[in-house]
């Protein structure tokens, strides 16, 4: 065999690997609170649509996602030309980097934030500029605006932020947007938008309308419960949306995903009732943790964050032993998704016991 190997792009060296949330342990007591998934399975009507689309799996899907684009445009009252779909919102985020950034360019985002940002930025060849969250786990928008240089091409604002759950208030976001040069794309990643209850947090779709450099990312994975199907979308003004359509993987979004997403939009009221139940459960979990003595940043998403520092891995191991898989960020903290009541209870009981033994 030849000693020579195919030459790969140097930019790929040292890319951190994406750590998916670990699955629940086998058995009845296993709960997966590690991936911010929706614990509810698809609605029966949505499942029926998926089954029917599966019957046509010998055909390629509608490459232009026509029905889905129209349904999104109608639901969110935006021109259809402003919509671009993709393989999950992370797929769309990666396309946004393909559209805007390459070697020599810079991409700014808060840190810690969604762990895909450093990976997809490095793949693009651009450099990451990570701006630490404040002590209150908030985006430091002033520092992020100060970090803009003439090499900056894209800025992610994860709102609410994964993994801390903290959201950026609208007034602060608008002040920040006013400071960012018009030729820098600001991506408002609103994967958890439907879980936001703080009225000070503005819907990005309101902000994008008169700002051609703002792009809003949304997903069907969280509130709509279709994480396994991989479908998300962006709303942006036409040059950006058109560039996204150019960079889309041909036939990337399956017909099952397209049809299920359209069916979910039609069943939105029912799905949003489930979101309401999860928001109530989030309030219960946060309240109980606070009563136990933990400092819990106010989450506007479907998870909570505990900054545990060097006790992070021990805490995650204790949860795992008790039957709940959570997401540790070693040395920093744990992110725990709001899931089934029983799983949340296991987490809460473990947190109470851990506090008594460790503090
Ligand atoms: C902030 C944020 N953005 C985007 C995504 C990706 O979602 P998807 O690719 O499933 O749409 C996630 C998933 O965890 C996320 O937390």
């Amino acid at each position: 065999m030849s000693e020579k190997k195919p030459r790969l792009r140097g930019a790929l060296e040292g890319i951190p690997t994406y750590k998916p949330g670990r699955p629940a342990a086998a058995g009845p007591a296993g709960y997966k609170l590690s991936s911010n998934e929706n614990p509810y399975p698809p609605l029966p009507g949505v499942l029926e649509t998926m089954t029917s689309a599966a019957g046509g799996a010998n055909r390629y899907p509608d490459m232009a996602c026509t029905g889905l684009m129209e349904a999104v445009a109608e639901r969110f009252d935006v021109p259809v030309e402003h919509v671009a779909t993709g393989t999950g919102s992370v797929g769309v985020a990666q396309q946004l980097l393909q559209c805007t950034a390459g070697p020599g360019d810079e991409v700014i985002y808060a840190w810690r934030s969604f762990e895909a940002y450093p990976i997809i930025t490095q793949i693009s060849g651009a450099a990451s500029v990570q701006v630490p969250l404040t002590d209150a786990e908030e985006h430091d928008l002033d520092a992020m605006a100060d970090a803009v240089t003439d090499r900056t091409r894209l800025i992610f604002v994860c709102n609410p932020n994964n993994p801390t759950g903290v959201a950026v208030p609208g007034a602060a976001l608008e002040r920040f947007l006013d400071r960012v040069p018009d030729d820098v794309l600001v991506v408002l990643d609103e994967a958890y938008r439907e879980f936001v209850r703080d009225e000070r947090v503005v819907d990005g779709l309101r902000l994008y309308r008169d700002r051609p450099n703002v792009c809003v990312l949304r997903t069907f994975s969280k509130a709509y419960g279709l994480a396994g199907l991989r479908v998300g979308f962006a709303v942006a003004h036409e040059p950006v949306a058109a560039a996204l359509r150019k960079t889309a993987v041909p036939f990337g979004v399956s017909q099952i995903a397209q049809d299920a997403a359209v069916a979910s939009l039609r069943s939105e009221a029912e799905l949003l009732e489930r979101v309401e139940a999860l928001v109530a459960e989030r309030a219960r979990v946060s309240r109980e943790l606070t009563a136990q003595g933990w400092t819990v940043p106010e989450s506007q998403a479907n998870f909570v964050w505990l900054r545990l520092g060097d006790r992070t891995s021990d805490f995650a191991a204790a949860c795992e032993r008790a039957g709940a898989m959570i997401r540790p960020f070693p040395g920093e903290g744990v992110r725990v998704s709001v899931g089934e009541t029983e799983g949340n209870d296991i987490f809460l009981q473990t947190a109470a016991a851990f506090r008594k033994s460790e503090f």
Side-chain angles (χ1 to χ4, degrees):
M1 226 177 357
S2 160
E3 286 295 289
K4 281 198 180 153
K5 295 189 181 127
R7 275 190 263 185
L8 303 178
R9 288 171 54 225
L12 303 188
E13 269 164 44
I15 289 188
T17 39
Y18 189 103
K19 288 196 190 68
R22 294 184 54 206
Y31 291 94
K32 185 177 177 211
L33 307 179
S34 53
S35 293
N36 298 343
E37 293 156 337
N38 192 320
Y40 297 98
L43 291 171
V46 175
L47 195 56
E48 233 168 77
T49 304
M50 287 161 61
T51 311
S52 148
N58 52 315
R59 306 286 178 197
Y60 285 105
D62 171 5
M63 189 166 122
C65 296
T66 320
L68 176 55
M69 299 258 296
E70 283 167 2
V72 167
E74 193 187 322
R75 163 64 184 86
F76 296 102
D77 191 22
V78 296
V80 73
E81 301 78 25
H82 286 193
V83 181
T85 52
T87 54
S89 57
V90 73
V92 185
Q94 183 155 26
Q95 287 173 249
L96 285 167
L97 284 164
Q98 275 183 314
C99 296
T100 56
D105 299 330
E106 291 174 352
V107 175
I108 299 174
Y109 50 88
W111 199 248
R112 178 167 281 279
S113 189
F114 181 33
E115 67 177 317
Y117 297 155
I119 298 172
I120 59 180
T121 299
Q122 194 172 333
I123 292 171
S124 78
S128 278
V129 177
Q130 301 184 335
V131 177
L133 296 171
T134 67
D135 291 342
E137 314 283 5
E138 290 163 344
H139 274 61
D140 189 342
L141 291 176
D142 284 336
M144 287 174 72
D146 290 343
V148 172
T149 69
D150 56 8
R151 286 199 291 271
T152 308
R153 294 289 174 272
L154 185 148
I155 304 175
F156 285 112
V157 177
C158 191
N159 197 24
N161 189 47
N162 174 5
T164 54
V166 176
V168 177
L173 186 54
E174 286 193 67
R175 269 197 308 277
F176 169 75
L177 293 174
D178 288 342
R179 282 191 64 192
V180 175
D182 293 342
D183 60 353
V184 173
L185 183 68
V186 181
V187 179
L188 304 178
D189 184 344
E190 297 189 337
Y192 304 96
R193 172 68 210 175
E194 297 82 358
F195 297 92
V196 171
R197 291 296 176 272
D198 181 343
E199 283 172 9
R200 293 169 309 152
V201 182
V202 176
D203 184 332
L205 292 174
R206 264 178 54 198
L207 295 178
Y208 107 96
R209 289 181 195 267
D210 56 356
R211 294 180 190 265
N213 68 329
V214 170
C215 171
V216 180
L217 279 185
R218 294 281 181 91
T219 182
F220 286 97
S221 298
K222 309 294 179 182
Y224 296 88
L226 300 179
L229 291 185
R230 314 307 306 127
V231 53
F233 62 94
V235 177
H237 286 262
E238 230 183 302
V240 176
L244 281 173
R245 288 194 287 271
K246 283 183 198 161
T247 52
V249 172
F251 306 110
V253 182
S254 74
Q255 200 62 49
I256 304 177
Q258 293 181 38
D259 291 357
V262 172
S264 296
L265 285 174
R266 283 203 203 105
S267 310
E268 199 177 28
E270 225 174 317
L271 289 167
L272 293 185
E273 272 173 33
R274 294 169 158 194
V275 169
E276 208 50 57
L278 290 169
V279 167
E281 209 31 27
R282 172 181 82 199
R284 177 180 80 91
V285 168
S286 302
R287 222 173 26 242
E288 290 205 16
L289 288 170
T290 307
Q292 290 173 14
W294 298 95
T295 303
V296 192
E298 195 191 306
S299 173
Q300 294 294 314
N302 64 343
F303 50 85
V304 294
W305 171 251
L306 295 180
R307 196 167 273 284
L308 279 148
D310 54 16
R311 281 170 297 195
T312 296
S313 299
D314 289 346
F315 185 88
C319 286
E320 186 175 339
R321 279 195 301 275
M325 214 55 95
I326 63 168
R327 177 71 165 87
F329 294 86
E332 293 178 65
V334 295
R335 186 194 69 198
V336 186
S337 311
V338 176
E340 298 88 340
T341 309
E342 299 76 14
N344 303 334
D345 284 342
I346 290 176
F347 160 55
L348 286 170
Q349 286 151 14
T350 312
F354 195 86
R355 236 196 126 75
K356 279 197 193 116
S357 66
E358 294 281 321
F359 287 79

